[in-house]
Amino acid sequence: MCLDCPVGWASYNGECFHFSKSTASWLDAQAACRQMGGYLATDDNKEKHDFLTNIASVIHSFGETVFWLGGDDYLFEGVWRWEETGGPVVSFTKWAPGYPTNSSDTNCLGMVFVDTELMWKVGTLLKLSKYTKCAQHI
Ligand SMILES: [Ca+2]
């Protein structure tokens, strides 16, 4: 198995992660990831979350704080699924205090720093995010 990631992608546990510099809606971010052969990232365990936090911290220090993830609750309100697997968000969650907000207007999962901790919040489809994040298996 080749563990090399393309230039501009970070390697973690057999996956490559990319933080885009462009601002996009969740839908456009998803489309951009698919175009690169990936998907909006799944944040489903503590080790991966720590890895993502390390990268996000560097970007955060430059003032960019919002990241889309590949999670949504379109199909059934309040039932969050990962785009990568189609499976439910179960064992690992990182909800910010007061989240998730169960509203049919907000169906997209995003991450933002709450103080020094990277946590999940819920956004709308068309809300712009500074960075998208893509993952791709290698
Ligand atoms: Ca919702």
Side-chain angles (χ1 to χ4, degrees):
M1 186 164 97
C2 174
L3 289 174
D4 290 334
C5 289
V7 173
W9 294 64
S11 169
Y12 172 77
N13 199 24
E15 284 184 277
C16 297
F17 288 85
H18 172 70
F19 285 68
S20 119
K21 292 186 172 64
S22 53
T23 301
S25 70
W26 189 89
L27 271 183
D28 287 347
Q30 182 187 50
C33 286
R34 285 181 177 172
Q35 212 162 35
M36 289 188 277
Y39 41 84
L40 284 169
T42 301
D43 180 21
D44 60 352
N45 66 69
K46 186 186 180 303
E47 292 71 29
K48 195 191 287 181
H49 186 79
D50 290 346
F51 164 78
L52 296 174
T53 298
N54 286 341
I55 298 183
S57 300
V58 175
I59 300 168
H60 181 59
S61 68
F62 292 102
E64 310 296 351
T65 59
V66 183
F67 310 89
W68 288 128
L69 288 168
D72 69 71
D73 75 335
Y74 283 119
L75 221 50
F76 298 105
E77 179 55 44
V79 179
W80 292 85
R81 295 176 312 121
W82 291 117
E83 176 193 350
E84 177 187 358
T85 60
V89 171
V90 276
S91 51
F92 177 83
T93 60
K94 203 68 189 178
W95 294 111
Y99 286 84
T101 50
N102 289 330
S103 154
S104 56
D105 294 332
T106 52
N107 300 322
C108 305
L109 194 61
M111 297 193 298
V112 64
F113 275 97
V114 178
D115 296 323
T116 57
E117 200 171 354
L118 194 62
M119 304 194 86
W120 296 356
K121 289 191 177 181
V122 173
T124 67
L125 263 187
L126 299 175
K127 187 178 175 187
L128 296 183
S129 189
K130 289 289 185 186
Y131 278 75
T132 64
K133 187 156 58 63
C134 305
Q136 163 182 86
H137 284 286
I138 50 176

